[in-house]
Amino acid sequence: MLSTGLPQGAVPKLERPGPLRDRVYEALLELITTRALRPGQHLVESELAGHLGVSRQPVREALQRLNTEGWVDLRPAQGAFVHEPTEEEADQLLTVRTLLEAEAARLAAANTGAAGITALEELCAEGERAVEADDVDGAVAMNARFHAKVMELAGNAVLAELAAQVDRRVRWYYTPVARQRGQQSWIEHRRLIAAISDRDQQRATELMREHTEHTRTSYHARQQG
């Protein structure tokens, strides 16, 4: 007997998602996030299936899921296209990111010990090496890992969950400006590590807010330029 009052048989059985469909979804999302598939690019099911070595069905299902999540636009009689973010979308997301990251920096400054500082310094060093090697994908990946580590050190599970929801989209917006931000981004990271190490919560908050705002303004400047 259903407590909702729905007639017997009206609620469909939920099927567990197949692992192949999930793998195709993850592969396409990574290609979009890193901009290997660029905003506005036409996504042809048969071509994607050939590249991934799968049939068209899991590709179609993955594209439908990506459409629901706002990564892909499905246009009648035209097909699927990588979503082109508007200035407003980017601004809203990066503003929320600033709020989350600034609070994470404050909490990290309150909670982080020597081991956490060492981990941040190691990630920063890796990011600096990626910049020196002009490895944009590597720098973007290390930037994401650095910010994720700060979030982890904050020790707030709810905050971390919210940040995880926007993390991939932040990477999507950061990738085009990663080379432009270059070494300056990691100089800002070094200053942040110093504030966290000093347990200066106010300074850490201010530095993280400024740091994330620099990414936001750089993104808008690039789009307008």
Side-chain angles (χ1 to χ4, degrees), residues 146-193:
F146 180 89
H147 283 270
K149 188 63 180 180
V150 173
M151 191 64 65
E152 176 189 325
L153 294 172
N156 186 311
V158 175
L159 189 65
E161 182 179 352
L162 291 172
Q165 292 176 24
V166 302
D167 172 67
R168 247 174 168 158
R169 211 166 287 268
V170 167
R171 285 174 57 196
W172 194 32
Y173 294 129
Y174 181 70
T175 297
V177 300
R179 181 174 279 117
Q180 174 187 338
R181 291 282 283 131
Q183 191 63 39
Q184 180 59 35
S185 179
W186 297 95
I187 291 172
E188 293 165 11
H189 285 159
R190 287 286 181 188
R191 292 171 182 162
L192 177 63
I193 293 172

Side-chain angles (χ1 to χ4, degrees), residues 87-163:
E87 290 280 314
E88 184 179 7
E89 287 173 3
D91 195 67
Q92 289 179 358
L93 183 107
L94 294 174
T95 297
V96 169
R97 182 229 185 176
T98 294
L99 296 173
L100 297 174
E101 298 268 6
E103 177 62 9
R106 184 187 72 79
L107 292 172
N111 300 323
T112 301
I117 297 300
T118 298
L120 289 175
E121 289 174 340
E122 290 174 350
L123 290 169
C124 198
E126 288 189 53
E128 289 164 344
R129 285 193 290 271
V131 170
E132 290 171 4
D134 197 29
D135 178 5
V136 174
D137 289 342
V140 171
M142 292 313 304
N143 182 73
R145 287 181 60 188
F146 180 89
H147 283 270
K149 188 63 180 180
V150 173
M151 191 64 65
E152 176 189 325
L153 294 172
N156 186 311
V158 175
L159 189 65
E161 182 179 352
L162 291 172

